[in-house]
């Protein structure tokens, strides 16, 4: 699904960023994103790749959205998708593919 | 909901910095605004289409249909990539799996029915199917094994760029190849706009695909068809705001492109991603399941990447599958009509009976973005 997941960059090495998605730390590739990414930046992740650096002014609201979504009922597909997207950043999971 | 996202909507004034994405007050204000602009059009119904499964998910999940004005018809378009993956594409992966090739693919693809079987069926028969989340995982997978690995890659341009990035990596292992079922959204909008009897007066475009392509890509479409396009995000307020803008454009008879998702989308989009996408893929005509043959709607590897192209590496003979008659039930599936906006899941005799998420007959019941699955999950969303 095309929500994408935002996370905070902890470290960058070559084309791989270590990113914190609410305490879940995963690697995200930087081959696609069109701006330099540095620790402290927020990025939007899609199928393991950063697709956009999120402007600082937008971060609070975006994170609040996803945090809220994650608290939704377990049965909720949208929340499940976001969780799977985070869990799956380094492992297999029911994922989005658009 | 974000400040800039809301600022793009003329329906709101004042500071929106504290706005929460589900703020009911703002939601009601937007719903009121939507009702007013819809009434202003002066005729009913006004029909608009979204082309993203995530939009439908938000609409269903947050019960937005219940607050949409009676005069506004929001049609679900062909926005679920799993659903539009054509049967022969699934069959190709099924045949390869049967030949002992290891298949890596995104989760939902495992249960999409092919002509006779799904990849899940093949797995039950002992085939090696790896569900991946990140496209980069396929490279690791191939490095860790001597077996042939096929990346059965599906999804729209947002996902295709990740596949492109893989294809461009240096030193890829020889045992890896890519079976592309990627699809490209803009051409299917042309098809829908030109369908005889199409009632679509405006499109709500998917924010994340537009993050890659930029919203400028819709300008020619708008010029050609005189139909407005608004790029919207996926939060309920994003969608409402996008709809307000879209209906305003319909009302005013001013077809143009508006961006109601500025935090993720610019006019140019992600140039780097576009460069990689078109370096690796070319757009070619092909069928979208249930919709039509879509000129330039399929993304296939360019000749320069032949060594990575599963279709060049193997002779995939689909006839073995097609010697059998297709299971009778699938012939009743009206997925295609649903995605074209002319039928609803409840028009299907199998919906909720023979066809449920655990035993899907059609692709629309497989993906969490599929209309039938969403309606089933949320108890249906009759027109309110
Ligand atoms: S309910 Fe199942 S068979 Fe009917 S249209 Fe939906 S996916 Fe197809």
């Amino acid at each position: 699904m095309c929500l994408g997941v935002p996370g905070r960059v902890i470290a960058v090495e070559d084309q791989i960023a270590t990113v914190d998605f609410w305490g879940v730390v995963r690697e995200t590739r930087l081959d696609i994103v069109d701006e330099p990414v540095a620790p402290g930046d927020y990025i939007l992740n899609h199928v393991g790749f950063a697709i956009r650096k999120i402007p600082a002014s937008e971060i609070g609201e975006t994170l609040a959205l996803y945090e809220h979504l994650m608290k939704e009922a377990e049965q909720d597909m949208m929340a499940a998708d976001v969780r799977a997207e985070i869990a799956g950043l380094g492992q297999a999971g029911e994922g989005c593919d658009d | 909901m974000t400040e800039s996202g809301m600022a793009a909507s003329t329906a709101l004034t004042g500071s929106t910095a504290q706005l929460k994405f589900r703020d009911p007050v703002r939601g009601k204000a937007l719903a009121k605004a939507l009702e007013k602009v819809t009434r202003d059009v002066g005729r009913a119904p006004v029909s608009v289409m979204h082309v993203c499964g995530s939009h439908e998910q938000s609409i269903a999940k947050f019960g937005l249909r219940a607050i949409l004005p009676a005069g506004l018809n929001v049609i679900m378009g062909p926005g679920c990539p799993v659903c539009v993956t054509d049967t022969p594409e699934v069959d190709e992966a099924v045949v390869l799996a049967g030949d002992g090739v290891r298949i890596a693919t995104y989760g939902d693809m495992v249960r999409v029915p092919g002509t006779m079987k799904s990849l899940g069926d093949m797995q039950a028969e002992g085939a090696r199917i790896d569900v991946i989340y990140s496209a980069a995982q396929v490279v690791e997978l191939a490095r860790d094994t001597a077996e042939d690995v096929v990346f059965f890659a599906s999804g729209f341009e947002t996902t295709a760029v990740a596949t492109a990035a893989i294809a461009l990596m240096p030193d890829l292992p020889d045992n890896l190849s890519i079976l592309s079922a990627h699809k490209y959204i803009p051409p299917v909008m042309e098809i829908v706009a030109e369908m005889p009897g199409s009632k679509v007066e405006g499109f709500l475009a998917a924010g994340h695909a537009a993050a890659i392509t930029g919203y400028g890509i819709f300008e020619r479409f708008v010029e050609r068809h005189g139909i407005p396009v608004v790029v919207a995000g996926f939060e309920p307020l994003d969608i409402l705001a996008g709809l307000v803008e879209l209906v305003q454009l319909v009302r005013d008879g001013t077809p143009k492109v508006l961006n109601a998702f500025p935090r993720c989308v610019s006019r140019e989009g992600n140039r780097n991603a576009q460069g990689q996408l078109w370096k690796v893929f070319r757009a070619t005509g092909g069928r979208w399941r249930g919709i039509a043959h879509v000129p330039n709607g399929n993304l296939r590897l360019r000749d320069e990447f032949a060594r990575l192209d599963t279709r060049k590496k193997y002779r995939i003979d689909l006839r073995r599958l097609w010697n059998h008659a297709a299971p009778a039930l699938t012939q009743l599936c009206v997925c295609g009509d649903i995605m074209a906006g002319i039928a609803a899941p409840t028009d299907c005799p199998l919906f909720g009976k023979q066809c449920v998420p655990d035993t899907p007959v059609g692709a629309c019941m497989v993906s969490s973005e599929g209309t039938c699955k969403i309606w089933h999950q949320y108890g249906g969303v009759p027109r309110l």
Side-chain angles (χ1 to χ4, degrees):
Chain A
M1 86 120 82
C2 27
L3 268 177
V5 175
R8 190 175 52 86
V9 177
I10 300 171
V12 175
E13 208 190 315
D14 197 19
Q15 287 297 298
I16 297 173
T18 308
V19 183
D20 180 354
F21 299 90
W22 300 281
V24 183
V25 176
R26 298 283 186 217
E27 286 182 347
T28 297
R29 293 203 56 101
L30 301 176
D31 309 65
I32 294 173
V33 70
D34 56 351
E35 289 172 89
V37 169
D41 286 343
Y42 282 79
I43 54 98
L44 194 64
N45 173 78
H46 181 73
V47 292
F49 285 77
I51 58 168
R52 178 165 162 108
K53 187 160 113 179
I54 305 171
S57 56
E58 311 287 1
I59 291 161
E61 289 93 336
T62 307
L63 288 183
L65 158 69
Y66 290 113
E67 220 144 64
H68 187 99
L69 281 177
M70 289 168 70
K71 284 189 201 125
E72 293 289 323
E74 289 303 313
Q75 284 306 306
D76 192 288
M77 286 191 295
M78 194 180 225
D81 267 5
V82 174
R83 263 187 247 107
E85 207 158 323
I86 289 168
L89 285 164
Q91 67 204 41
E94 188 98 358
C96 153
D97 67 346
D98 72 333
Chain B
M1 174 54 65
T2 76
E3 193 163 7
S4 53
M6 296 308 303
S9 165
T10 52
L12 290 177
T13 52
S15 167
T16 52
Q18 300 306 313
L19 193 59
K20 300 241 173 50
F21 85 105
R22 270 179 86 183
D23 176 352
V25 178
R26 304 281 175 177
K28 276 196 195 108
L30 279 172
K32 278 252 163 343
L34 186 56
E35 210 178 301
K36 180 182 176 300
V37 294
T38 305
R39 214 172 33 236
D40 285 352
V41 176
R43 57 182 166 75
V46 176
S47 296
V48 297
M49 176 178 272
H50 66 70
V51 281
C52 177
S54 297
H55 276 156
E56 187 56 33
Q57 254 189 5
S58 275
I59 289 171
K61 172 182 148 69
F62 297 104
L64 294 188
R65 261 174 221 285
I67 58 167
L68 293 181
L72 180 64
N73 194 6
V74 180
I75 303 167
M76 299 151 277
C80 159
V82 170
C83 305
V84 297
T85 301
D86 204 12
T87 319
E89 293 173 310
V90 177
D91 288 346
E92 287 176 303
V94 165
V95 164
L96 288 166
D99 288 345
V101 176
R102 201 161 157 175
I103 309 283
T105 193
Y106 297 113
D108 282 348
M109 295 305 290
V110 174
R111 291 193 304 123
V112 185
T115 302
M116 295 294 297
K117 287 176 176 162
S118 67
L119 284 174
D121 297 331
M122 298 309 291
Q123 194 170 27
E125 290 172 19
R128 298 288 299 273
I129 314 292
D130 295 88
V131 172
I132 53 145
Y133 167 71
S134 162
Q137 279 174 272
V138 296
V139 181
E140 288 161 38
L141 201 69
R143 286 216 169 96
D144 289 346
T145 177
E147 295 167 273
D148 274 11
V149 173
V150 164
F151 178 21
F152 183 32
S154 68
F156 297 129
E157 45 271 31
T158 332
T159 313
V161 291
T163 307
I166 300 286
L168 291 168
M169 282 179 187
D171 310 321
L172 286 174
D174 288 339
N175 59 339
L176 175 65
S177 66
I178 296 170
L179 179 62
S180 170
H182 285 302
K183 305 257 182 283
Y184 187 50
I185 287 263
V188 84
M189 290 172 59
E190 307 270 346
I191 297 278
V192 173
E194 283 163 16
M195 267 184 188
S198 168
K199 298 186 189 74
V200 181
E201 298 172 74
F203 281 96
L204 203 65
H208 282 66
I212 301 294
T213 57
Y215 66 82
I217 196 168
F218 300 116
E219 285 165 3
R220 274 192 57 214
F221 171 87
V222 169
E223 251 169 55
R224 233 189 333 253
H225 300 284
I227 296 176
V229 175
V230 173
V231 175
F234 305 101
E235 304 164 35
L237 296 190
D238 276 337
I239 293 175
L240 286 172
L243 285 173
V244 172
E245 292 200 305
L246 189 55
V247 177
Q248 278 174 337
L249 293 176
V250 172
R251 176 196 64 191
D252 300 342
T254 45
K256 57 179 169 182
V257 184
L258 285 181
N259 178 18
F261 197 34
R263 70 177 173 280
C264 281
V265 178
S266 63
R267 184 170 183 280
E268 298 74 34
N270 181 335
R271 283 261 168 83
N272 180 38
Q274 290 163 27
Q276 294 183 39
L277 181 69
W278 297 118
K279 193 167 183 181
V280 172
F281 291 105
R282 64 191 162 84
T284 172
R287 278 200 63 80
W288 287 36
R289 188 192 293 240
I291 302 279
H293 177 94
V294 180
N296 296 323
N298 280 5
L299 297 173
R300 294 292 182 257
L301 291 172
R302 288 184 182 277
D303 288 344
E304 296 88 299
F305 294 85
R307 75 198 143 75
L308 271 175
D309 192 340
T310 303
R311 293 187 179 94
K312 304 248 162 72
K313 187 167 174 179
Y314 305 89
R315 273 198 58 237
I316 311 173
D317 183 3
L318 297 181
R319 277 170 309 181
R320 318 181 223 168
L321 290 174
W322 295 352
N323 283 338
H324 305 270
L329 276 184
T330 57
Q331 286 161 13
L332 296 173
C333 175
V334 296
C335 251
D337 288 350
I338 292 171
M339 288 183 282
I342 49 185
T346 42
D347 294 328
C348 173
L350 307 180
F351 178 70
K353 298 187 180 89
Q354 291 95 332
C355 185
V356 290
D358 282 342
T359 51
V361 173
C364 299
M365 191 58 92
V366 174
S367 167
S368 59
E369 293 175 54
T371 306
C372 293
K373 171 108 174 250
I374 290 168
W375 281 41
H376 192 267
Q377 172 91 9
Y378 293 106
V381 269
R383 281 290 306 142
L384 293 166

